Amino acid sequence: MKAIQLFAALLIGGAFTAATAAAPAPADSAKAEKIYKATCMACHGAGVLGAPKFGDKAAWGPRVAKGKPALYTNALNGFKMMPPRGGNPALKDDEVKAVVDYMIAKSN
């Protein structure tokens, strides 16, 4: 019986850890915002060359509907007029993805 209780505790603890790890930490959000302002805002702030404007739910909706993997791929590799990594080749993959997540969250 104790083995079952231990297993259940591990499962519950693991699920809690996975759920809390999926939520971005405030520090990550602040970093994503800083990167957005330094790299992405030049185009996404004003909608330059068809870039969806920051916070524009109607513009982001169809893009979000395609799924985050598609948005990540476009942001990492470039899409239409957008250069790879928003023109900042120094950004790491996880930083680009964090900014995509940040922009999506602000458009809901």
Side-chain angles (χ1 to χ4, degrees):
M1 185 67 176
K2 289 195 181 242
I4 293 171
Q5 290 172 332
L6 177 61
F7 182 71
L10 288 172
L11 282 177
I12 292 169
F16 178 75
T17 302
T20 56
D28 293 340
S29 182
K31 183 177 179 180
E33 180 180 9
K34 183 177 178 180
I35 294 169
Y36 166 79
K37 287 180 177 179
T39 302
C40 311
M41 189 169 74
C43 294
H44 287 281
V48 174
L49 299 172
K53 289 183 182 180
F54 183 81
D56 184 340
K57 186 175 183 175
W60 280 98
R63 290 164 171 89
V64 171
K66 293 179 181 178
K68 283 187 180 182
L71 292 171
Y72 294 154
T73 297
N74 291 344
L76 290 166
N77 300 321
F79 185 74
K80 295 186 180 180
M81 299 303 294
M82 185 179 127
R85 300 174 189 280
N88 185 348
L91 291 176
K92 297 174 183 156
D93 288 4
D94 64 328
E95 292 171 323
V96 173
K97 290 176 181 180
V99 175
V100 169
D101 291 342
Y102 169 75
M103 291 171 54
I104 290 170
K106 296 299 182 177
S107 69
N108 290 330

